[in-house]
Amino acid sequence: MSAGHYTHDNFGKTVMRSQVAIALLLLLCLPLANFWFPSAYSIKAGIHGLSAISALAVGTYLTHRALPLVKGMQVQLQSLRRWVLAATLLNLAGAISGNWIYMRYRGQDGPRDWILERVPAIHNVLMEFKEFVSLFPFPLMLSATALLYYYGLPMQTRRDLCRFVGITILVSWSFLLLGFVVGLVLAKLRFV
Amino acid sequence: MQHPTESNSQALHSGPVVAASLALLLAFLTLMVSHHISRLSPGLDKLVHSYGYWIPGSQGKGPDGSIGSYTGKETLAIGVWLLSWLAFHLMWRKQDLDLAAWTRIFVISLVAITLGFFHPLSDPLVLFIAGFFGLP
């Protein structure tokens, strides 16, 4: 008998969902704390943190939905495309709030000046990289959403189309992770 | 669950997938090229910046800062992305293109463009190309 087929009962599902909900709530406490940071830019930072972590959480969940798509398995396309749409909107919020907080990053005596004075390589290599790859997840997710809605349910008959959309979701998540990690490094070095 | 019939499975074409993803590559490439151009001289930076003046906060000063020429790079990339997506989609929506080959090209190009934003790798190449055009 294959060990790969295990159907979770209702209790198992409740446990897992509770775990995810608790973990997510605790994780969201990290950006929530920004709202109390003694800085004139705490609201911008808090909103960017909340949208970035939410986008990362949904993007990570979606990698588990994308894998069956890549493997050519039958998936619940209606539910999947709603999740991908949600991820697109969260990534858009992350990009817009990122632009907003980026103003202060470049402002007078902002984090950029501080970093350039002390550890210039962090700005010149890491930040110049992050600024751009953080923009990638939104258009990638939007493209996946548009294709899932454009083809509709008959899409499952074409394995190659499903595979490509699955790969797009995985690629989007990898850029999300890159941008997120560099963002955390930056916030740890110098808050706005 | 709807059972697809023979006719609508034939109606699906891979063209729109190639259109959407090629437009993404062109957008990211625009972002990369405009970024490197803006770094060559203050004049070129101003030129790239001027495309982004419509974005709020693109020209602020002082502690609140501004997004600077990043706005111009974003504007150019969004323009190239949406216009090329529309054009390719209209061109290829009824065509079946080789998706197996395209998947490989797409992923490799995406990795190459990503590395183009990594300055220790891209700067020597950018300076070489800029020198070829007589730019500072």
Side-chain angles (χ1 to χ4, degrees), chain A residues 1 13 17 53 59 63 74 108 128 167 188:
Chain A
M1 199 179 94
K13 278 184 184 168
R17 283 172 184 165
I53 287 200
T63 59
Q74 285 283 317
Q108 196 188 334
E128 296 259 350
I167 289 173
K188 182 173 166 53

Side-chain angles (χ1 to χ4, degrees), chain A residues 91-170:
Chain A
N91 278 312
L92 179 62
I96 291 174
S97 62
N99 266 265
W100 199 26
I101 195 76
Y102 186 52
M103 291 160 63
R104 169 57 194 154
Y105 173 80
R106 293 164 46 98
Q108 196 188 334
D109 300 322
R112 181 174 66 166
D113 289 348
W114 190 95
I115 289 168
L116 276 175
E117 209 174 287
R118 292 165 179 87
V119 270
I122 295 276
H123 173 80
N124 295 333
V125 178
L126 269 191
M127 259 314 276
E128 296 259 350
F129 181 72
K130 181 228 181 328
E131 285 161 21
F132 296 100
V133 297
S134 299
L135 291 176
F136 288 15
F138 164 64
L140 282 161
M141 281 292 187
L142 181 67
S143 150
T145 310
L147 292 171
L148 285 171
Y149 278 96
Y150 175 76
Y151 288 112
L153 301 183
M155 189 182 192
Q156 301 245 26
T157 56
R158 283 281 302 259
R159 197 187 151 172
D160 55 343
L161 300 180
C162 289
R163 186 166 167 259
F164 197 92
V165 171
I167 289 173
T168 306
I169 295 171
L170 292 176

Side-chain angles (χ1 to χ4, degrees), chain B residues 58-113:
Chain B
S58 62
Q59 298 178 83
K61 280 194 167 59
D64 287 345
S66 76
I67 328 177
S69 62
Y70 188 59
T71 51
K73 300 164 196 175
E74 287 178 320
T75 307
L76 290 168
I78 291 170
V80 167
W81 175 35
L82 298 180
L83 287 177
S84 64
W85 189 359
L86 182 70
F88 293 139
H89 183 82
L90 293 176
M91 266 164 64
W92 297 329
R93 75 201 143 114
K94 294 265 159 48
Q95 286 191 44
D96 244 333
L97 303 167
D98 184 356
L99 217 46
W102 174 246
T103 307
R104 246 173 252 137
I105 298 171
F106 176 68
V107 173
I108 293 171
S109 309
L110 207 49
V111 171
I113 293 172

